Amino acid sequence: MSTNRRTAIAVRSIGVASAAAALALGVAGNAFACSIGEFTPSAGCDDSGHGYIQVVDKDYSQTPVNITVSTGGQSVGDKTGVVGSKEGVTVTFPVDWQPSTTYTVTVVKTSGGQVGTKDVTTPDKACSTPTTPTTPPASPSSPATPSTPATTAPSTPATTPSSTTSAPAVADTNAPSPAAGGSQNLAETGGGSNTGLIAGVAAALVAVGGGAVFALRRRNPAARH
């Protein structure tokens, strides 16, 4: 085999290998590139009865993107610099959406370049505000225990001295005291044992007095003479 033929075969082999490598790199690049298929939009209601539209970004390449939600050509929410992940990053847009309405999600690379768009249709029923639970009726209370009436002690009437109450009688000091040695009345028992002695002393005093008077009378006529 001539040298030219060998060189041609070698060059052809290198070209085939290069083409295969380029094709493989192209497929790999497309596999890791940011695509609209990695974005999943949905609509729902939160616990407070408000609507929202959320987008889950599962971009393996973690390419920063800007996400916009619009309806009828009017934007209702947007987020910039969103970076996805293999597990998924959820971006929520508070939107008071109308039932059975189509919203468009547009994804654009932050560095520039269109990723794509996706549509989402809201449910056929609007979000409803949760009603406040009514207070359950109070359980019937047990009958009240009759209270024991308080025992009130009878009030002691005030001892106000009556104005008509007579003062205690004062003993008459001029009344004759009962004779010593007995408490019986002389009218009931007769004369006491000292009555005779008292009468004798009185008679003696009378006699002495009479003698003294008689003596004075006799002295007076003698003095006159």
Side-chain angles (χ1 to χ4, degrees):
M1 183 180 293
S2 64
T3 302
N4 292 335
R5 186 176 179 84
R6 289 178 180 176
T7 301
I9 293 174
V11 171
R12 186 181 298 173
S13 298
I14 292 173
V16 172
S18 298
L23 180 61
L25 290 175
V27 172
N30 289 334
F32 288 100
C34 179
S35 65
I36 193 62
E38 297 167 337
F39 296 85
T40 305
S42 61
C45 302
D46 58 18
D47 295 338
S48 59
H50 296 288
Y52 64 83
I53 293 177
Q54 64 182 14
V55 180
V56 180
D57 181 2
K58 289 187 176 182
D59 177 20
Y60 288 21
S61 67
Q62 296 184 334
T63 302
V65 297
N66 302 336
I67 303 175
T68 303
V69 178
S70 60
T71 181
Q74 183 179 0
S75 175
V76 295
D78 64 272
K79 296 283 185 178
T80 60
V82 179
V83 178
S85 67
K86 182 178 179 180
E87 293 76 15
V89 174
T90 301
V91 182
T92 303
F93 301 88
V95 178
D96 290 331
W97 46 258
Q98 298 298 320
S100 303
T101 302
T102 300
Y103 288 82
T104 301
V105 176
T106 303
V107 182
V108 179
K109 292 180 182 179
T110 302
S111 60
Q114 182 82 9
V115 177
T117 61
K118 270 191 175 182
D119 291 338
V120 57
T121 302
T122 59
D124 57 356
K125 291 183 179 180
C127 298
S128 58
T129 304
T131 57
T132 304
T134 57
T135 305
S139 58
S141 57
S142 57
T145 304
S147 58
T148 305
T151 303
T152 305
S155 59
T156 304
T159 56
T160 305
S162 174
S163 59
T164 58
T165 303
S166 58
V170 180
D172 187 3
T173 55
N174 296 324
S177 301
S183 60
Q184 293 181 342
N185 194 338
L186 294 178
E188 297 177 357
T189 59
S193 60
N194 296 327
T195 303
L197 178 60
I198 294 172
V201 173
L205 292 176
V206 172
V208 172
V213 172
F214 181 75
L216 288 174
R217 285 181 178 179
R218 292 191 63 178
R219 284 182 181 180
N220 287 336
R224 292 175 182 175
H225 294 290

